[in-house]
Amino acid sequence: MGANTSQVNDLSQNPSLGSLVGTEAISENDPFWNQLISFTFTSPTSSRDSKLLEEAVIPLAKILIENNPRTGNFGALVKIFLGRTKELKISTECQDQLFIWQAHNALFMIRCLLKVFVREMSEEELHMQFSYQERAPGSSETGSEDLLEELICNLVHLIVEVPLLDITYSILFEAVTTLLVLLSYQLFHKEILRDGIIYKYLMLGKCVDLTSRLVKTLLYNFIRQEKCPPPVTHIFESQSEGGGLLYGLASGVASGLWTVFTLGGAGSKLSPDQEQQPLPLPNQSLLLLLVLANLSDGPDWPNPYRQAIKSFKNTQDTSSIPSPNPHAFQINFNSLYTALCDQQRSDQATLLLYILLHQNTNVRTYVLSRTDTENLVMPILDILYHVEDRNSHHVYMALIILLILTEDDTFNRSIHEVMLKNITWYTERSLTEISLGSLLILVVIRTIQFNMTRTRDKYLHTNCLAALANMSAQFRCLHQYAAQRIISLFALLSKKHNKVLEQATQSLRGPMGSEGNAALPDYAQDLNVIEEVIRMMLEIINSCLSNSLHHNPNLVYALLYKRELFEQFRSHPSFQDIMQNLDTVIGFFSARLEQAGSDLSVERVQEVIKKGAVALPKDRLKKFPELKFKYVEEDQPEDFFIPYVWSLVFNSGVGLHWTPQGIELFSMDSS
């Protein structure tokens, strides 16, 4: 790092870069291009290094914007890159590192320039920068091809055709990153972009034929989680103090020119921050996949990338039924499941899991059929448990994933059969042994309590309670602590209800001035919300008692221990019907405990409850409709998901830095 980064600012004085952006057109056949793209560097991966680089590139890019209409040098650079990519697959098979290295360098330069162009000009103006023709003798005839579309198709083709090896890692990373840069126009618009030149190329252009292969490749890049190879495998060994080995006659020019870019090169140690960074290609591939999957449908065409994500199947699926979707493909579900379990610490992996569970029935069926669902559920619970440290969108996604899973009765039964030992991250109480189901209940209840005291988000409450309600009929052998927390949550709600009721009553008794009248609707709304939550909690407790009383002696014990909590709700019109069953259970077991004598030990009480649970006639409990809630995506989900996805690109894109000024899609507080 050290001395190298200080030289980045000298780029504006570099003669070769001066020629590229200058007023003279350079023919595609000029040896200049071979010299320009022969340099050794490792792309910056940290935001800080990317910022330094971009600050150095901006003045050069602005000069190029001014001169390119007369020189066409930017188009010439793009054609140099396109010319080299035609042989990339063969070069990879032949281990021709020089060829790959030069193609990579050309693309890196294009990406750096495009990053500035996107901020500085409209899509139409960007398109024009591609269309300006070379004015130099010896330049090839361009015909009528659209160079921007050709670049986009070429990048997609490169991603799906070139195998991922040490020598191709960097160019694949650049291809994915360049597509993200081209799509980043969305960052600078508050409204969702539903058309535009780049949008139409990706949704309707020539590269649509590669949709399924692109989605599959990006998924496999995420699944493989390949680390960036050490620099020696994808750049040339240094042979002089000042720079890398530069091929043939190019070495004299390039060596002093580009070694300033060795920001994360062979000789530099990773800082602790860099060690925590996501892996470049897997992370960038996932971000591009999420951006493509969330492009808006057109008026007459669905998003092909979303269609591909919705319909892909397991490689183990031997059914011969052809998919009606033209973008269908197969992928190894076991590998995908393992990667999803391992990567849930990142927002983008949780968002991918949500999309797959919600939109792809094949994936959802597979996940629910696994006998090791704890490997997936535990990381999700970890996200919810550390709610204070997560952004609200990540928490929402984790919660909705749980809600989708709890729509399945087999899942709700199986989680109580999985026993876990020593949950170290759960610090409120030592849990030496607990079922996955009981732990799930504890974490969801904790999320509700956190929300009550901090964020007071009704949406969060609703989804937490819906997940508990879906599970309630299948509660089995609840851990003593889980049973206590269910009743403790009810006690907290009851206390809050009484407090709000008291405040509302006092405001009614107060002077009938403007302040008193203004406060009244707030109290009425608060009271209404809290009574809805109390009703829901009573229904959850009732559902468990009605369907699996004999499996849950700990819940009956907790209910009896705090029976006085429920007395105030007996005569309340909103709760009378649901209170009948709770009264029946409390009355029945209270009578049996009285018969058993006084001063009973805890063990004796539990014994009486277990015997009573078998003896209680089921017809004594009134039947209520089964509690079942299904997650439904809101209308126009893109209004939520597109800003969210781009906030992830903004915050997590490897080697990408955007200054907050000019970002319109989301407020910088929410990013």
Side-chain angles (χ1 to χ4, degrees):
M1 283 293 299
N4 286 337
T5 49
S6 64
Q7 297 175 55
V8 171
N9 295 325
D10 300 335
L11 286 181
S12 58
Q13 308 303 316
N14 188 279
S16 290
L17 290 179
S19 298
L20 172 68
V21 305
T23 56
E24 296 294 320
I26 305 167
S27 163
E28 289 170 49
N29 302 321
D30 196 302
F32 165 84
W33 296 108
N34 198 48
Q35 295 172 350
L36 183 72
I37 60 174
S38 297
F39 58 85
T40 299
F41 77 101
T42 299
S43 303
T45 54
S46 75
S47 181
R48 178 174 163 270
D49 288 346
S50 304
K51 180 172 182 283
L52 284 170
L53 176 57
E54 181 153 321
E55 285 170 354
V57 170
I58 285 171
L60 292 165
K62 286 184 175 178
I63 297 168
L64 181 59
I65 291 167
E66 190 177 324
N67 292 328
N68 189 51
R70 292 183 297 280
T71 67
N73 284 347
F74 179 70
L77 175 60
V78 172
K79 287 183 178 179
I80 295 296
F81 166 69
L82 294 176
R84 276 165 171 72
T85 57
K86 285 170 186 165
E87 307 297 329
L88 263 182
K89 197 172 182 188
I90 296 168
S91 300
T92 305
E93 289 166 0
C94 301
Q95 295 283 306
D96 185 348
Q97 295 194 42
L98 172 68
F99 207 86
I100 298 165
W101 171 60
Q102 289 187 322
H104 164 269
N105 291 350
L107 180 55
F108 175 75
M109 292 175 70
I110 291 165
R111 190 254 286 187
C112 288
L113 291 167
L114 284 174
K115 179 82 166 33
V116 181
F117 288 1
V118 168
R119 183 182 277 276
E120 294 290 326
M121 62 183 76
S122 68
E123 275 191 83
E124 291 72 25
E125 291 168 327
L126 177 76
H127 197 203
M128 288 299 293
Q129 291 291 338
F130 279 86
S131 70
Y132 297 129
Q133 304 303 315
E134 302 88 325
R135 302 290 187 260
S139 296
S140 63
E141 290 296 318
T142 58
S144 58
E145 86 270 17
D146 184 324
L147 205 54
L148 174 55
E149 182 172 22
E150 197 176 336
L151 175 65
I152 290 171
C153 287
N154 202 283
L155 293 173
V156 172
H157 202 264
L158 193 161
I159 292 165
V160 302
E161 284 286 345
V162 175
L164 174 53
L165 306 169
D166 279 1
I167 58 172
T168 61
Y169 190 103
S170 289
I171 194 166
L172 289 169
F173 170 76
E174 281 303 330
V176 171
T177 305
T178 305
L179 285 175
L180 271 177
V181 166
L182 283 167
L183 284 159
S184 67
Y185 270 106
Q186 180 63 79
L187 278 171
F188 306 102
H189 292 80
K190 197 163 188 65
E191 73 283 359
I192 303 303
L193 297 181
R194 300 175 194 278
D195 53 17
I197 297 166
I198 294 161
Y199 170 91
K200 284 178 179 169
Y201 287 154
L202 284 164
M203 296 282 273
L204 298 168
K206 291 183 287 188
C207 61
V208 170
D209 291 342
L210 294 172
T211 293
S212 59
R213 291 181 65 193
L214 178 59
V215 171
K216 182 176 183 175
T217 304
L218 294 174
L219 272 174
Y220 268 126
N221 287 349
F222 165 70
I223 288 167
R224 288 174 67 175
Q225 290 293 310
E226 290 283 352
K227 294 179 180 175
C228 192
V232 69
T233 63
H234 64 114
I235 63 174
F236 290 80
E237 295 269 14
S238 176
Q239 297 211 346
S240 65
E241 283 185 29
L245 164 96
L246 301 150
Y247 191 70
L249 298 173
S251 59
V253 178
S255 96
L257 225 129
W258 285 101
T259 48
V260 291
F261 280 142
T262 320
L263 296 182
S268 43
K269 291 183 179 177
L270 289 177
S271 68
D273 287 346
Q274 286 174 306
E275 287 174 354
Q276 295 300 313
Q277 285 178 353
L279 301 176
L281 183 60
N283 180 72
Q284 224 81 328
S285 296
L286 178 52
L287 290 172
L288 177 59
L289 181 63
L290 293 172
V291 168
L292 292 172
N294 284 284
L295 291 173
S296 297
D297 290 333
D300 302 313
W301 62 86
N303 176 338
Y305 307 98
R306 193 179 303 135
Q307 295 293 305
I309 284 172
K310 280 182 175 181
S311 59
F312 71 81
K313 295 181 178 179
N314 193 355
T315 47
Q316 305 300 310
D317 185 353
T318 54
S319 67
S320 57
I321 304 167
S323 171
N325 190 312
H327 304 300
F329 62 91
Q330 289 186 308
I331 205 164
N332 186 311
F333 277 18
N334 184 54
S335 302
L336 176 61
Y337 180 81
T338 302
L340 287 167
C341 292
D342 290 345
Q343 299 301 319
Q344 285 308 305
R345 62 186 174 275
S346 80
D347 278 74
Q348 44 268 42
T350 304
L351 180 54
L352 176 64
L353 175 58
Y354 158 77
I355 290 170
L356 295 178
L357 286 175
H358 178 55
Q359 297 185 6
N360 189 313
T361 53
N362 302 318
V363 173
R364 185 164 66 248
T365 302
Y366 176 83
V367 168
L368 290 167
S369 72
R370 294 282 301 208
T371 55
D372 61 347
T373 47
E374 68 272 16
N375 291 340
L376 189 68
V377 174
M378 287 293 280
I380 298 298
L381 295 184
D382 190 87
I383 294 165
L384 291 175
Y385 185 80
H386 296 102
V387 60
E388 300 95 331
D389 307 323
R390 307 286 181 177
N391 72 66
S392 60
H393 287 20
H394 199 183
V395 173
Y396 283 151
M397 290 299 104
L399 199 48
I400 293 167
I401 287 165
L402 283 187
L403 180 54
I404 292 169
L405 294 174
T406 62
E407 290 170 17
D408 183 76
D409 282 342
T410 305
F411 172 82
N412 293 333
R413 278 192 297 274
S414 67
I415 54 175
H416 293 287
E417 294 163 8
V418 177
M419 297 307 295
L420 307 166
K421 293 183 184 294
N422 300 318
I423 314 302
T424 52
W425 49 260
Y426 193 96
T427 56
E428 275 86 343
R429 174 165 168 163
S430 174
L431 298 174
T432 51
E433 188 172 50
I434 189 170
S435 71
L436 179 61
S438 287
L439 182 64
L440 200 159
I441 291 164
L442 284 174
V443 173
V444 171
I445 286 174
R446 186 180 183 275
T447 307
I448 294 172
Q449 291 183 319
F450 173 83
N451 188 44
M452 282 173 65
T453 55
R454 306 278 185 88
T455 52
R456 301 184 68 193
D457 184 328
K458 188 180 176 185
Y459 183 79
L460 201 66
H461 259 20
T462 304
N463 285 293
C464 283
L465 290 165
L468 286 177
N470 282 347
M471 294 188 291
S472 59
Q474 310 291 341
F475 284 172
R476 292 287 186 277
C477 305
L478 289 185
H479 189 279
Q480 179 186 2
Y481 187 52
Q484 285 173 12
R485 298 306 296 162
I486 290 171
I487 304 303
S488 295
L489 175 58
F490 187 83
L492 189 67
L493 291 165
S494 175
K495 187 176 178 183
K496 196 168 179 65
H497 177 268
N498 293 342
K499 184 179 177 183
V500 173
L501 195 59
E502 186 182 330
Q503 288 170 333
T505 307
Q506 284 175 356
S507 70
L508 279 171
R509 288 178 185 153
M512 295 302 288
S514 59
E515 285 187 18
N517 288 337
L520 196 57
D522 290 339
Y523 288 126
Q525 188 180 5
D526 281 355
L527 200 59
N528 186 43
V529 168
I530 204 148
E531 286 185 356
E532 281 180 18
V533 177
I534 286 173
R535 168 84 193 184
M536 191 77 155
M537 280 304 297
L538 288 171
E539 287 181 349
I540 289 165
I541 295 167
N542 175 66
S543 172
C544 176
L545 297 176
S546 302
N547 291 284
S548 53
L549 179 82
H550 57 293
H551 288 300
N552 290 293
N554 284 333
L555 183 63
V556 176
Y557 184 96
L559 188 68
L560 292 172
Y561 191 72
K562 294 283 188 180
R563 70 190 86 176
E564 73 284 351
L565 281 174
F566 299 89
E567 288 175 6
Q568 63 172 308
F569 299 108
R570 275 200 191 109
S571 56
H572 195 294
S574 299
F575 312 122
Q576 273 179 321
D577 58 337
I578 205 82
M579 278 301 302
Q580 287 179 21
N581 281 351
L582 270 70
D583 272 346
T584 300
V585 170
I586 289 169
F588 176 81
F589 284 98
S590 295
R592 291 186 73 97
L593 288 171
E594 280 178 24
Q595 289 171 10
S598 58
D599 297 326
L600 301 176
S601 66
V602 172
E603 292 75 14
R604 177 69 181 127
V605 171
Q606 289 174 332
E607 186 187 333
V608 171
I609 289 171
K610 284 176 184 174
K611 287 181 179 176
V614 179
L616 177 64
K618 287 194 174 180
D619 57 9
R620 292 270 299 274
L621 299 178
K622 182 184 173 185
K623 288 288 179 193
F624 284 85
E626 187 181 10
L627 288 181
K628 272 296 168 192
F629 293 87
K630 190 172 177 63
Y631 170 70
V632 179
E633 215 168 57
E634 306 224 353
D635 291 338
Q636 295 183 305
E638 61 269 21
D639 291 345
F640 171 84
F641 285 104
I642 290 177
Y644 179 33
V645 168
W646 277 105
S647 75
L648 298 180
V649 178
F650 181 88
N651 287 309
S652 310
V654 175
L656 290 171
H657 169 81
W658 282 277
T659 54
Q661 292 76 24
I663 302 294
E664 294 284 338
L665 183 60
F666 45 79
S667 70
M668 295 312 296
D669 293 339
S670 67
S671 73

